[in-house]
Amino acid sequence: MILSVVLLLLAVIWTVQYRFRRRRMYELASKISHPKDELPLIGVTHKFMGNTENIMKSLKQFSYEAMETDGVTRVWLNHILYFVMVNPGDLEVVLKTCMEKDDLHRVIRSIIGNGTLFAPVSIWRRRRKVLIPAFSPKIVESFVEIFSEQSQHITHKVARMCGSGTVNLWPIVSAYSLDAACESTAGVKIYAQSKANSQFLTSLEEGLNIVCERMFHLWLQVEWLFRLLPQYTKYQKCIKHVLEFSDEIIHNKRKELMNDKQSITKCDNDRSYDFGDYKRKSFLELLIHLSGGEKGYTDLELREEILTIIIAGTDTSAVGMAFTLILLGKYPDIQQKVYEELKEVFGDSNRPLVKEDLPKLKYLERVVKESLRLFPPAPFIIRKVEKELTLPSGVTIPSGSGIFVSIFGAHRDPKYWGPDAEHFDPDRFLPERFNLQHACSYMPFSYGPRNCVGYQYALKSIQTALTSILRNYKVIGEPEKGPIPNIRIKVDIMLKAAEGFYVKFEKRKPC
Ligand code: HEM
């Protein structure tokens, strides 16, 4: 009895002290509007309990509430305070000032360690310096050849699907994206598109799905609890394969460079990929060179960086392609305009795309940009607030909280995009119509010193693959009755269509 009273007393003292230390946080939080359905103590944690479609619904709800209340709303996830923001003026300051990624991301560090994407700022600065020259426009342009060759495979896949009714786009776009990413990043062909089940693709996808589950379901972040669950064994198996795969690539590249040979042309029979004869340099080679050669990155650092590039560049681009194809299926008139532009550029020839073709495909570019506006593959970025921050709108954000940068919300805010913000209208990107009041109103690739280094790469890869498909095949979807595309969405780290990406293909006369 006495022990219970003492324990109770200690708990009360601890709580009072804890709340007293955080009094500034509570004071500032109380000034910001919040969702009506938050609960005492747990805040909005119950809204993150369901599947990833429900989680997206909640994040969407918070973003729309922020649009209605000066661009910001605040939510408590148990004891952790987050601000969901859509105001582009405020977001510019956030993205320039709060460089540290939020602790929610720590679970993904078990795959990519201190890779640039989620590295602590002290490590990120050096990594970013090395990465930037590797993504120079000239180098990225040299990869168009890879995109073009890999696009031939995706078109052959579509050919086989033609006439077989409704098909799921996801396996083909993600395999294309992974093939292109592995070849440009590591200089290896993994044939994800030609094999029924690429082990690397499956391990990566399953591993990332578990990471996503852990990110949103806070109880799975408790390491000892996670280790007791069946997901842990599955996760370990996936990660083991992904890490072994990248270590082998690095080992071989080091050996190749040591032997001062141009390339390794022979592959071991028991390997599921081969080393091609590359004239262009892969990101891996560039990173070895740019970090200082032999004295530069260690094998671990190289592994972290190449996995970062592959992970950051695969699903994002695949999502961009998949949403664009779904939208074109829903809007046949817009697809027809894309096809006419392709006919103008390629005529009757069936030659593969070359890098000089891309700048001519202006309408296709507008379609992709509009698709990335309505369905940004990375709809939210979460940054940590380490020092109290007063924003241009007058809102003060307390240290110790986190900010959900709602790219999704900023892209749909009628204050900046007009009353037709939800419409699918590629021509809003016509130079004479595109007049953004603020850079952060459109930022599928984020903004500021920590923005996406791969945006040029992504746009070229997506446009090359779409060109190859759309020159030869018509995408048929459920035609949309109005200008607002009705697609249910979920957030599996990336934004995805909740019901999958289903369309039909019909053969065209090639151009
Ligand atoms: C449509 C495709 C893509 C989208 C929408 C996208 C979007 C993003 C976003 C939103 C970020 C986070 C930035 C932040 O926290 O502020 C990011 C970071 C990053 N992305 Fe992309 N990305 C795409 C494709 C790619 C590709 C193809 C690559 C590489 C080949 C790539 C490499 C990276 C890297 C390395 C970072 C980390 C940058 C840093 O922290 O300094 N991304 N991307």
PDB file of all heavy atoms in Angstrom, residues 187 252-253 255-267 274-281 285:
ATOM      1  N   GLY A 187      26.237   0.428 -62.150  1.00  0.00           N
ATOM      2  CA  GLY A 187      26.815  -0.103 -63.376  1.00  0.00           C
ATOM      3  C   GLY A 187      26.503  -1.577 -63.572  1.00  0.00           C
ATOM      4  O   GLY A 187      27.232  -2.276 -64.255  1.00  0.00           O
ATOM      5  N   ASN A 252      33.312  -5.718 -56.271  1.00  0.00           N
ATOM      6  CA  ASN A 252      33.716  -5.935 -57.659  1.00  0.00           C
ATOM      7  C   ASN A 252      34.210  -4.658 -58.321  1.00  0.00           C
ATOM      8  O   ASN A 252      35.154  -4.685 -59.106  1.00  0.00           O
ATOM      9  CB  ASN A 252      32.554  -6.526 -58.459  1.00  0.00           C
ATOM     10  CG  ASN A 252      32.412  -8.000 -58.175  1.00  0.00           C
ATOM     11  OD1 ASN A 252      33.329  -8.779 -58.396  1.00  0.00           O
ATOM     12  ND2 ASN A 252      31.279  -8.389 -57.622  1.00  0.00           N
ATOM     13  N   LYS A 253      33.549  -3.541 -58.001  1.00  0.00           N
ATOM     14  CA  LYS A 253      33.979  -2.270 -58.614  1.00  0.00           C
ATOM     15  C   LYS A 253      35.377  -1.897 -58.118  1.00  0.00           C
ATOM     16  O   LYS A 253      36.234  -1.487 -58.890  1.00  0.00           O
ATOM     17  CB  LYS A 253      32.959  -1.172 -58.276  1.00  0.00           C
ATOM     18  CG  LYS A 253      33.260   0.203 -58.824  1.00  0.00           C
ATOM     19  CD  LYS A 253      33.506   0.252 -60.315  1.00  0.00           C
ATOM     20  CE  LYS A 253      32.247   0.077 -61.128  1.00  0.00           C
ATOM     21  NZ  LYS A 253      32.499   0.026 -62.578  1.00  0.00           N
ATOM     22  N   LYS A 255      37.684  -3.952 -57.133  1.00  0.00           N
ATOM     23  CA  LYS A 255      38.610  -4.881 -57.768  1.00  0.00           C
ATOM     24  C   LYS A 255      38.887  -4.423 -59.205  1.00  0.00           C
ATOM     25  O   LYS A 255      40.035  -4.378 -59.640  1.00  0.00           O
ATOM     26  CB  LYS A 255      37.982  -6.291 -57.779  1.00  0.00           C
ATOM     27  CG  LYS A 255      39.019  -7.383 -57.659  1.00  0.00           C
ATOM     28  CD  LYS A 255      38.424  -8.683 -57.205  1.00  0.00           C
ATOM     29  CE  LYS A 255      37.990  -9.490 -58.412  1.00  0.00           C
ATOM     30  NZ  LYS A 255      37.247 -10.692 -58.064  1.00  0.00           N
ATOM     31  N   GLU A 256      37.822  -4.042 -59.866  1.00  0.00           N
ATOM     32  CA  GLU A 256      37.928  -3.606 -61.266  1.00  0.00           C
ATOM     33  C   GLU A 256      38.836  -2.376 -61.357  1.00  0.00           C
ATOM     34  O   GLU A 256      39.727  -2.303 -62.209  1.00  0.00           O
ATOM     35  CB  GLU A 256      36.522  -3.270 -61.764  1.00  0.00           C
ATOM     36  CG  GLU A 256      36.460  -2.831 -63.213  1.00  0.00           C
ATOM     37  CD  GLU A 256      35.072  -2.264 -63.530  1.00  0.00           C
ATOM     38  OE1 GLU A 256      34.068  -2.763 -63.003  1.00  0.00           O
ATOM     39  OE2 GLU A 256      35.015  -1.293 -64.302  1.00  0.00           O
ATOM     40  N   LEU A 257      38.625  -1.438 -60.444  1.00  0.00           N
ATOM     41  CA  LEU A 257      39.431  -0.217 -60.491  1.00  0.00           C
ATOM     42  C   LEU A 257      40.887  -0.522 -60.137  1.00  0.00           C
ATOM     43  O   LEU A 257      41.801   0.046 -60.721  1.00  0.00           O
ATOM     44  CB  LEU A 257      38.856   0.848 -59.550  1.00  0.00           C
ATOM     45  CG  LEU A 257      37.492   1.403 -59.965  1.00  0.00           C
ATOM     46  CD1 LEU A 257      36.950   2.345 -58.902  1.00  0.00           C
ATOM     47  CD2 LEU A 257      37.541   2.113 -61.308  1.00  0.00           C
ATOM     48  N   MET A 258      41.079  -1.448 -59.172  1.00  0.00           N
ATOM     49  CA  MET A 258      42.436  -1.827 -58.770  1.00  0.00           C
ATOM     50  C   MET A 258      43.178  -2.436 -59.953  1.00  0.00           C
ATOM     51  O   MET A 258      44.333  -2.155 -60.197  1.00  0.00           O
ATOM     52  CB  MET A 258      42.375  -2.861 -57.641  1.00  0.00           C
ATOM     53  CG  MET A 258      42.026  -2.284 -56.309  1.00  0.00           C
ATOM     54  SD  MET A 258      43.455  -1.997 -55.297  1.00  0.00           S
ATOM     55  CE  MET A 258      43.787  -3.648 -54.735  1.00  0.00           C
ATOM     56  N   ASN A 259      42.488  -3.282 -60.661  1.00  0.00           N
ATOM     57  CA  ASN A 259      43.124  -3.941 -61.798  1.00  0.00           C
ATOM     58  C   ASN A 259      43.281  -3.002 -62.988  1.00  0.00           C
ATOM     59  O   ASN A 259      43.775  -3.389 -64.031  1.00  0.00           O
ATOM     60  CB  ASN A 259      42.302  -5.157 -62.246  1.00  0.00           C
ATOM     61  CG  ASN A 259      42.321  -6.240 -61.189  1.00  0.00           C
ATOM     62  OD1 ASN A 259      43.182  -6.219 -60.309  1.00  0.00           O
ATOM     63  ND2 ASN A 259      41.374  -7.149 -61.245  1.00  0.00           N
ATOM     64  N   ASP A 260      42.782  -1.790 -62.807  1.00  0.00           N
ATOM     65  CA  ASP A 260      42.866  -0.772 -63.848  1.00  0.00           C
ATOM     66  C   ASP A 260      42.325  -1.283 -65.185  1.00  0.00           C
ATOM     67  O   ASP A 260      42.889  -1.021 -66.235  1.00  0.00           O
ATOM     68  CB  ASP A 260      44.324  -0.320 -63.990  1.00  0.00           C
ATOM     69  CG  ASP A 260      44.405   0.992 -64.745  1.00  0.00           C
ATOM     70  OD1 ASP A 260      43.435   1.780 -64.704  1.00  0.00           O
ATOM     71  OD2 ASP A 260      45.425   1.215 -65.394  1.00  0.00           O
ATOM     72  N   LYS A 261      41.242  -2.072 -65.085  1.00  0.00           N
ATOM     73  CA  LYS A 261      40.633  -2.559 -66.315  1.00  0.00           C
ATOM     74  C   LYS A 261      39.466  -1.660 -66.658  1.00  0.00           C
ATOM     75  O   LYS A 261      38.876  -1.036 -65.781  1.00  0.00           O
ATOM     76  CB  LYS A 261      40.118  -3.984 -66.106  1.00  0.00           C
ATOM     77  CG  LYS A 261      41.205  -5.005 -66.182  1.00  0.00           C
ATOM     78  CD  LYS A 261      40.582  -6.372 -66.099  1.00  0.00           C
ATOM     79  CE  LYS A 261      41.636  -7.423 -65.916  1.00  0.00           C
ATOM     80  NZ  LYS A 261      41.082  -8.638 -65.347  1.00  0.00           N
ATOM     81  N   GLN A 262      39.097  -1.588 -67.899  1.00  0.00           N
ATOM     82  CA  GLN A 262      37.957  -0.781 -68.302  1.00  0.00           C
ATOM     83  C   GLN A 262      36.663  -1.364 -67.738  1.00  0.00           C
ATOM     84  O   GLN A 262      35.782  -0.664 -67.309  1.00  0.00           O
ATOM     85  CB  GLN A 262      37.841  -0.722 -69.825  1.00  0.00           C
ATOM     86  CG  GLN A 262      38.820   0.231 -70.461  1.00  0.00           C
ATOM     87  CD  GLN A 262      38.499   1.653 -70.052  1.00  0.00           C
ATOM     88  OE1 GLN A 262      37.514   1.909 -69.408  1.00  0.00           O
ATOM     89  NE2 GLN A 262      39.349   2.598 -70.390  1.00  0.00           N
ATOM     90  N   SER A 263      36.573  -2.696 -67.798  1.00  0.00           N
ATOM     91  CA  SER A 263      35.317  -3.279 -67.351  1.00  0.00           C
ATOM     92  C   SER A 263      35.486  -4.759 -67.063  1.00  0.00           C
ATOM     93  O   SER A 263      36.479  -5.364 -67.432  1.00  0.00           O
ATOM     94  CB  SER A 263      34.269  -3.121 -68.447  1.00  0.00           C
ATOM     95  OG  SER A 263      34.779  -3.721 -69.613  1.00  0.00           O
ATOM     96  N   ILE A 264      34.529  -5.316 -66.364  1.00  0.00           N
ATOM     97  CA  ILE A 264      34.501  -6.766 -66.179  1.00  0.00           C
ATOM     98  C   ILE A 264      33.394  -7.271 -67.086  1.00  0.00           C
ATOM     99  O   ILE A 264      32.242  -6.857 -66.973  1.00  0.00           O
ATOM    100  CB  ILE A 264      34.180  -7.123 -64.722  1.00  0.00           C
ATOM    101  CG1 ILE A 264      35.324  -6.640 -63.833  1.00  0.00           C
ATOM    102  CG2 ILE A 264      33.976  -8.621 -64.556  1.00  0.00           C
ATOM    103  CD1 ILE A 264      35.023  -6.764 -62.358  1.00  0.00           C
ATOM    104  N   THR A 265      33.777  -8.077 -68.035  1.00  0.00           N
ATOM    105  CA  THR A 265      32.773  -8.449 -69.040  1.00  0.00           C
ATOM    106  C   THR A 265      32.121  -9.791 -68.749  1.00  0.00           C
ATOM    107  O   THR A 265      31.075 -10.108 -69.256  1.00  0.00           O
ATOM    108  CB  THR A 265      33.409  -8.511 -70.437  1.00  0.00           C
ATOM    109  OG1 THR A 265      34.620  -9.234 -70.343  1.00  0.00           O
ATOM    110  CG2 THR A 265      33.711  -7.115 -70.955  1.00  0.00           C
ATOM    111  N   LYS A 266      32.825 -10.566 -67.914  1.00  0.00           N
ATOM    112  CA  LYS A 266      32.281 -11.889 -67.682  1.00  0.00           C
ATOM    113  C   LYS A 266      31.502 -11.909 -66.363  1.00  0.00           C
ATOM    114  O   LYS A 266      31.896 -11.282 -65.403  1.00  0.00           O
ATOM    115  CB  LYS A 266      33.471 -12.860 -67.579  1.00  0.00           C
ATOM    116  CG  LYS A 266      33.134 -14.303 -67.811  1.00  0.00           C
ATOM    117  CD  LYS A 266      34.443 -15.104 -67.855  1.00  0.00           C
ATOM    118  CE  LYS A 266      34.129 -16.569 -67.761  1.00  0.00           C
ATOM    119  NZ  LYS A 266      33.488 -16.909 -66.530  1.00  0.00           N
ATOM    120  N   CYS A 267      30.415 -12.601 -66.337  1.00  0.00           N
ATOM    121  CA  CYS A 267      29.719 -12.694 -65.055  1.00  0.00           C
ATOM    122  C   CYS A 267      29.725 -14.141 -64.556  1.00  0.00           C
ATOM    123  O   CYS A 267      29.766 -15.070 -65.334  1.00  0.00           O
ATOM    124  CB  CYS A 267      28.288 -12.179 -65.166  1.00  0.00           C
ATOM    125  SG  CYS A 267      27.234 -13.232 -66.099  1.00  0.00           S
ATOM    126  N   ASP A 274      24.864  -9.050 -64.478  1.00  0.00           N
ATOM    127  CA  ASP A 274      26.203  -9.047 -65.036  1.00  0.00           C
ATOM    128  C   ASP A 274      26.769  -7.638 -65.101  1.00  0.00           C
ATOM    129  O   ASP A 274      26.049  -6.649 -64.989  1.00  0.00           O
ATOM    130  CB  ASP A 274      26.243  -9.730 -66.412  1.00  0.00           C
ATOM    131  CG  ASP A 274      25.582  -8.911 -67.491  1.00  0.00           C
ATOM    132  OD1 ASP A 274      25.791  -7.691 -67.520  1.00  0.00           O
ATOM    133  OD2 ASP A 274      24.865  -9.497 -68.314  1.00  0.00           O
ATOM    134  N   PHE A 275      28.079  -7.570 -65.235  1.00  0.00           N
ATOM    135  CA  PHE A 275      28.733  -6.275 -65.328  1.00  0.00           C
ATOM    136  C   PHE A 275      28.945  -5.963 -66.806  1.00  0.00           C
ATOM    137  O   PHE A 275      29.642  -6.679 -67.503  1.00  0.00           O
ATOM    138  CB  PHE A 275      30.079  -6.321 -64.582  1.00  0.00           C
ATOM    139  CG  PHE A 275      29.890  -6.517 -63.131  1.00  0.00           C
ATOM    140  CD1 PHE A 275      29.778  -7.783 -62.602  1.00  0.00           C
ATOM    141  CD2 PHE A 275      29.777  -5.429 -62.291  1.00  0.00           C
ATOM    142  CE1 PHE A 275      29.563  -7.971 -61.251  1.00  0.00           C
ATOM    143  CE2 PHE A 275      29.572  -5.624 -60.943  1.00  0.00           C
ATOM    144  CZ  PHE A 275      29.465  -6.888 -60.413  1.00  0.00           C
ATOM    145  N   GLY A 276      28.371  -4.891 -67.274  1.00  0.00           N
ATOM    146  CA  GLY A 276      28.447  -4.576 -68.705  1.00  0.00           C
ATOM    147  C   GLY A 276      29.723  -3.843 -69.050  1.00  0.00           C
ATOM    148  O   GLY A 276      30.570  -3.589 -68.203  1.00  0.00           O
ATOM    149  N   ASP A 277      29.836  -3.485 -70.308  1.00  0.00           N
ATOM    150  CA  ASP A 277      31.018  -2.780 -70.776  1.00  0.00           C
ATOM    151  C   ASP A 277      30.672  -1.292 -70.837  1.00  0.00           C
ATOM    152  O   ASP A 277      30.107  -0.814 -71.814  1.00  0.00           O
ATOM    153  CB  ASP A 277      31.353  -3.333 -72.173  1.00  0.00           C
ATOM    154  CG  ASP A 277      32.613  -2.696 -72.704  1.00  0.00           C
ATOM    155  OD1 ASP A 277      33.255  -1.950 -71.955  1.00  0.00           O
ATOM    156  OD2 ASP A 277      32.938  -2.951 -73.869  1.00  0.00           O
ATOM    157  N   TYR A 278      30.975  -0.584 -69.754  1.00  0.00           N
ATOM    158  CA  TYR A 278      30.471   0.787 -69.651  1.00  0.00           C
ATOM    159  C   TYR A 278      31.464   1.833 -70.070  1.00  0.00           C
ATOM    160  O   TYR A 278      32.551   1.913 -69.540  1.00  0.00           O
ATOM    161  CB  TYR A 278      29.999   1.072 -68.217  1.00  0.00           C
ATOM    162  CG  TYR A 278      28.797   0.270 -67.912  1.00  0.00           C
ATOM    163  CD1 TYR A 278      28.906  -0.898 -67.193  1.00  0.00           C
ATOM    164  CD2 TYR A 278      27.570   0.630 -68.444  1.00  0.00           C
ATOM    165  CE1 TYR A 278      27.802  -1.684 -66.973  1.00  0.00           C
ATOM    166  CE2 TYR A 278      26.461  -0.153 -68.222  1.00  0.00           C
ATOM    167  CZ  TYR A 278      26.585  -1.306 -67.487  1.00  0.00           C
ATOM    168  OH  TYR A 278      25.496  -2.081 -67.280  1.00  0.00           O
ATOM    169  N   LYS A 279      31.042   2.665 -71.036  1.00  0.00           N
ATOM    170  CA  LYS A 279      31.880   3.812 -71.404  1.00  0.00           C
ATOM    171  C   LYS A 279      31.583   4.926 -70.406  1.00  0.00           C
ATOM    172  O   LYS A 279      32.446   5.617 -69.950  1.00  0.00           O
ATOM    173  CB  LYS A 279      31.534   4.278 -72.820  1.00  0.00           C
ATOM    174  CG  LYS A 279      32.142   3.379 -73.900  1.00  0.00           C
ATOM    175  CD  LYS A 279      31.747   3.887 -75.260  1.00  0.00           C
ATOM    176  CE  LYS A 279      30.820   3.005 -76.044  1.00  0.00           C
ATOM    177  NZ  LYS A 279      29.539   2.645 -75.651  1.00  0.00           N
ATOM    178  N   ARG A 280      30.273   5.076 -70.089  1.00  0.00           N
ATOM    179  CA  ARG A 280      29.913   6.125 -69.135  1.00  0.00           C
ATOM    180  C   ARG A 280      30.199   5.640 -67.716  1.00  0.00           C
ATOM    181  O   ARG A 280      30.264   4.437 -67.471  1.00  0.00           O
ATOM    182  CB  ARG A 280      28.441   6.485 -69.284  1.00  0.00           C
ATOM    183  CG  ARG A 280      27.517   5.489 -68.688  1.00  0.00           C
ATOM    184  CD  ARG A 280      26.090   5.855 -68.950  1.00  0.00           C
ATOM    185  NE  ARG A 280      25.671   5.436 -70.260  1.00  0.00           N
ATOM    186  CZ  ARG A 280      25.393   4.174 -70.575  1.00  0.00           C
ATOM    187  NH1 ARG A 280      25.513   3.227 -69.686  1.00  0.00           N
ATOM    188  NH2 ARG A 280      25.011   3.850 -71.782  1.00  0.00           N
ATOM    189  N   LYS A 281      30.373   6.594 -66.809  1.00  0.00           N
ATOM    190  CA  LYS A 281      30.685   6.196 -65.431  1.00  0.00           C
ATOM    191  C   LYS A 281      29.397   6.061 -64.629  1.00  0.00           C
ATOM    192  O   LYS A 281      28.479   6.861 -64.779  1.00  0.00           O
ATOM    193  CB  LYS A 281      31.565   7.256 -64.787  1.00  0.00           C
ATOM    194  CG  LYS A 281      32.984   7.298 -65.327  1.00  0.00           C
ATOM    195  CD  LYS A 281      33.903   7.846 -64.255  1.00  0.00           C
ATOM    196  CE  LYS A 281      35.355   7.949 -64.640  1.00  0.00           C
ATOM    197  NZ  LYS A 281      35.811   7.195 -65.761  1.00  0.00           N
ATOM    198  N   GLU A 285      31.193   4.674 -59.401  1.00  0.00           N
ATOM    199  CA  GLU A 285      32.548   5.077 -59.799  1.00  0.00           C
ATOM    200  C   GLU A 285      32.783   6.556 -59.508  1.00  0.00           C
ATOM    201  O   GLU A 285      33.837   6.962 -59.024  1.00  0.00           O
ATOM    202  CB  GLU A 285      32.700   4.859 -61.306  1.00  0.00           C
ATOM    203  CG  GLU A 285      33.538   3.666 -61.656  1.00  0.00           C
ATOM    204  CD  GLU A 285      33.604   3.496 -63.145  1.00  0.00           C
ATOM    205  OE1 GLU A 285      32.593   3.004 -63.714  1.00  0.00           O
ATOM    206  OE2 GLU A 285      34.620   3.865 -63.738  1.00  0.00           O
TER     207      GLU A 285
END
